[in-house]
């Protein structure tokens, strides 16, 4: 579970209060409620986050501040803890449900699948929102591209289906081992780590889910998530 303080859009967001608790507490509890996970470990480069984790008896692993993405941080943990499949739950996804993990892990029933992620039908308000990443897929679920732009481009203005990417990932260890060795100009351009896989020929399978989430990137997101959690 990657968690960092140096977010550019919403600084210190994983420790921001939601209904009287830090966001990280909500995400950790949501992850622990997923029976598919054998262990939940918070991976961070922040001594402050380590202190919060130790105070709450949450397993935590310090990682290098030079790592550029959550996947790089999961890779660092994979060097210490052996597993066949690793799951990346971003520290800004407090609306995680066990159903998300069920969908995320489903593609791994096929031995050729190396990386998985999720998509949900995009609401009209998010179609042109660059903070809501869009994904287009092939008929068999392979990701063709992820973008902050509105894809596909609706040239004639007729009915179109848009899918929002949910930033949860599953990886076989073999794919995770390759990730830090790869280079991607697309990743740096869009600031989307999953493009590092695509640009280097590693297929990402995208599983649909009916359960949307709100990845917290803005003050508005924070208020929306708080209202949703208090209404449960």
């Amino acid at each position: 579970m990657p968690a960092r303080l140096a977010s550019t859009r919403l600084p210190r967001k994983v420790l921001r209060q939601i209904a009287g608790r830090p966001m990280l507490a909500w995400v950790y509890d949501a992850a622990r409620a997923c029976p598919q996970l054998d262990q939940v470990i918070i991976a961070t480069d922040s001594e402050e986050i380590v202190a919060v984790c130790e105070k709450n008896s949450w397993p935590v692993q310090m990682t290098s501040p030079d790592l550029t993405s959550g996947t790089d941080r999961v890779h660092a943990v994979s060097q210490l803890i052996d597993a066949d499949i690793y799951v990346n739950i971003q520290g800004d996804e407090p609306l995680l449900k066990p159903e998300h993990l069920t969908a995320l892990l489903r593609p791994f029933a096929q031995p050729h699948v190396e990386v998985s992620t999720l998509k949900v039908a995009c609401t009209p308000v998010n179609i042109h929102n660059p903070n809501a990443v869009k994904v287009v897929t092939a008929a068999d679920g392979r990701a063709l591209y992820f973008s902050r732009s509105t894809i596909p481009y609706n040239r004639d203005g007729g009915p179109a289906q848009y899918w929002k990417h949910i930033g949860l990932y599953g990886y076989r260890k073999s794919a995770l081992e390759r990730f830090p060795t790869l280079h991607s100009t697309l990743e740096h351009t869009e600031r989307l780590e999953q493009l590092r896989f695509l640009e280097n020929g590693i297929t990402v399978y995208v599983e649909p889910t009916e359960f949307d989430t709100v990845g917290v990137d803005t003050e508005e997101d924070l208020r929306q998530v708080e209202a949703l959690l208090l209404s449960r």
Side-chain angles (χ1 to χ4, degrees):
M1 208 173 91
R4 56 193 292 269
L5 283 183
S7 171
T8 55
R9 286 172 289 178
L10 187 62
R12 300 177 56 79
K13 65 180 178 179
V14 299
L15 294 184
R16 293 289 299 273
Q17 294 288 305
I18 298 178
R21 306 175 71 209
M23 186 194 309
L24 191 58
W26 291 98
V27 183
Y28 178 78
D29 286 351
R32 289 294 302 152
C34 296
Q36 303 94 330
L37 301 177
D38 292 329
Q39 297 183 65
V40 177
I41 299 164
I42 296 167
T44 186
D45 60 0
S46 163
E47 294 283 2
E48 187 175 354
I49 290 177
V50 169
V52 170
C53 291
E54 290 177 344
K55 179 180 177 181
N56 289 279
S57 300
W58 302 333
V60 63
Q61 179 61 53
M62 192 72 172
T63 56
S64 169
D66 297 329
L67 301 177
T68 58
S69 73
T71 300
D72 289 299
R73 231 168 281 288
V74 174
H75 171 265
V77 172
S78 76
Q79 303 305 291
L80 304 172
I81 298 174
D82 191 43
D84 296 325
I85 296 172
Y86 296 85
V87 172
N88 177 346
I89 299 169
Q90 306 282 3
D92 60 0
E93 290 281 1
L95 300 182
L96 177 74
K97 292 176 173 285
E99 291 88 346
H100 290 122
L101 272 296
T102 299
L104 185 72
L105 295 172
R106 190 175 297 127
F108 291 103
Q110 304 296 321
H112 65 277
V113 172
E114 293 186 280
V115 183
S116 72
T117 191
L118 298 177
K119 67 179 182 180
V120 67
C122 192
T123 59
V125 72
N126 275 327
I127 290 173
H128 300 289
N129 176 7
N131 290 327
V133 176
K134 271 64 72 176
V135 60
V136 291
T137 59
D140 64 355
R142 290 177 296 113
L144 299 176
Y145 195 63
F146 299 86
S147 183
R148 298 186 183 278
S149 296
T150 302
I151 55 172
Y153 175 70
N154 190 356
R155 194 192 72 166
D156 297 326
Q161 175 68 66
Y162 296 94
W163 292 95
K164 188 186 89 169
H165 175 231
I166 294 178
L168 304 173
Y169 302 94
Y171 326 90
R172 290 199 196 275
K173 189 162 190 174
S174 56
L176 201 52
E177 288 289 344
R178 290 183 59 191
F179 189 80
T181 71
L182 305 174
H183 174 74
S184 170
T185 56
L186 292 173
E187 176 187 10
H188 291 290
T189 301
E190 293 247 24
R191 288 292 186 259
L192 296 175
E193 65 196 271
Q194 63 270 38
L195 293 176
R196 197 187 311 184
F197 285 118
L198 293 192
E199 192 169 357
N200 288 278
I202 297 175
T203 301
V204 177
Y205 282 85
V206 186
E207 192 74 10
T209 177
E210 61 184 287
F211 300 102
D212 201 356
T213 67
V214 178
V216 179
D217 293 311
T218 66
E219 293 285 350
E220 183 181 355
D221 294 337
L222 199 69
R223 291 191 295 271
Q224 181 183 359
V225 164
E226 184 170 59
L228 289 168
L229 287 171
L230 287 173
S231 69
R232 284 183 173 178

